[in-house]
Amino acid sequence: MLILHTTIAIVGIVALILKVKVDPVIALIIGSLYLGLATGVGFTGTVTAITGGFGDIMAEVGLLIGFGVLIGALLHAMGAFQKMVTLLVEGVGGRRLPYALTAAMSTVFPAIYVDVQVVLAAPVVRSAGPMIGRRGLPLMAGALGTGIFAGYVFVVPGLAAVSIAGLMGIPLGTWILYGIVLGPLTAILTTLVFRQILRSGFWKPAADESVGDGPTSEEDDGPEEHGGTTAAADAQRAATPPLLVCLLPILVPLLMIGGGAFAKLFGLTHQAVSFIGDANIALFVGLLGAYLLCRRVLGSEGTNRALGEGFHTTGEILLITGIGGSLGAVIAETGLDEILAGLFTADAGAPVLVSILLAWVIAAVLHLAIGSVSVAAIAAAGIIGPVLGSIDVSPIAIGLAVASGAMFALQVNSNFFWMFKSLVGLSTQGTLKTLTLVTALGSLISLPLVMLVGLLA
């Protein structure tokens, strides 16, 4: 009954949003209340889980979202992302740009928290999409989504990758050897397949895109809105600093966070190192830099206008993100992980491919239910780790299977889903067609690769 009620809650949320056109915040709360009460969490327990889940996710990512969105708003107002898009298109060409993006996200950026990645990269996706073609926005969105999560689950120091390796006793050196191949390979293959799907007429811009969401939309940015004349716009572009300087508010935080992650990886635990590498501090340093640059280019009035747009977007994203955390907390209270642990133990000693598939299924089901890739990966690794000794399969293969399954079909019970929707500028349906689909494809595409590892390792 627990799995049935969880399925009803998730399907009900999707139906309320897509069919009844209920606002996602209201639909998520209804789903959370139903699940808690139907599964015996209780009246008090359900309310506690909803409020606690909201608070926990805000404590974890609230400042990151706020600072990151404001950085994006300020840099967009300065024209920094337009410069970057032009350079990318000229450097690799529009056709290869999605592959360059997904390869970079799955190899260079796993040290960065996934929420920060999407906040910083979404403006590039939205700006580059129209330059690629009429299917450019969904293709770039899909490349971004699969790149982020392929790197997150397979490539060290991605949180999910490091967590699985640690919980299952897999040496990081061994994981790095396999993960650095599987991560970008999965991302690039998924983007190739997704591009073919888009050619079938699958994408409907009128229903799937939500022009106007986010601080980086290419809506009316004409002279009437920003100063009155084309000459003024030309003057603003001339005053914009070189691209490298414009991107320092992004690059410096990335270096700070990445440096902190690698320092921890190599056992450097000094408080000063932890402070400098803290994502909240790093993003604030980036925000301060973006603010000073924007004041220099746009002046006080233009900077305040850009900040106002950023604050408007931040409020919407924070509320939806927090409610997504509430649903995840209610699901965690139901005890679904204990049922799955019993299933895996019962099948101990199964053939290699069956064991890998079962590990994948456990992680995938946990992700579908909980809505968090990292939590699903950690929970699945915690469930399977104790029974690894009775499974005649290489631990690295089981660990990679958990990583692959934890990536499967990120959807509406994930706070990241709603961040992605708002920041990239998609409807709920469009986000299901991009983020949900590419993470499902990436998970399925990586599964046979993991099985090959299991047969060879």
Side-chain angles (χ1 to χ4, degrees), residues 63-64 67-68 71 253 278-290:
L63 288 178
L64 298 179
F67 292 161
I71 290 171
D278 183 85
N280 294 291
I281 298 299
L283 264 292
F284 178 71
V285 169
L287 174 59
L288 185 60

Side-chain angles (χ1 to χ4, degrees), residues 94-95 98 125 128-143 194-205 209 434:
R95 181 174 180 79
V125 168
M131 301 177 70
I132 296 175
R134 57 192 178 90
R135 295 184 292 265
L137 178 61
L139 180 58
M140 288 294 290
F194 185 57
R195 187 168 210 154
Q196 298 306 312
I197 292 173
L198 288 173
R199 288 176 174 169
S200 67
F202 169 76
W203 190 256
K204 309 296 181 184
E209 298 177 18
T434 52

Side-chain angles (χ1 to χ4, degrees), residues 37-135:
L37 297 176
T39 57
V41 175
F43 293 102
T44 302
T46 300
V47 173
T48 300
I50 289 173
T51 55
F54 188 96
D56 289 345
I57 200 70
M58 286 298 100
E60 187 175 351
V61 302
L63 288 178
L64 298 179
I65 293 171
F67 292 161
V69 170
L70 292 177
I71 290 171
L74 292 169
L75 296 184
H76 172 66
M78 289 191 297
F81 291 116
Q82 276 302 115
K83 279 193 172 186
M84 184 176 181
V85 168
T86 300
L87 181 64
L88 282 172
V89 172
E90 291 177 352
V92 302
R95 181 174 180 79
R96 293 188 294 271
L97 184 58
Y99 307 111
L101 175 69
T102 202
M105 300 309 296
S106 60
T107 54
V108 179
F109 294 105
I112 313 305
Y113 195 81
V114 293
D115 291 352
V116 178
Q117 290 185 53
V118 72
V119 165
L120 297 180
V124 176
V125 168
R126 296 193 61 164
S127 298
M131 301 177 70
I132 296 175
R134 57 192 178 90
R135 295 184 292 265

Side-chain angles (χ1 to χ4, degrees), residues 229-256:
T229 65
T230 303
D234 292 340
Q236 176 184 319
R237 283 192 290 271
T240 301
L243 180 61
L244 180 60
V245 175
C246 287
L247 295 182
L248 284 176
I250 295 177
L251 297 178
V252 170
L254 293 181
L255 289 173
M256 291 173 67

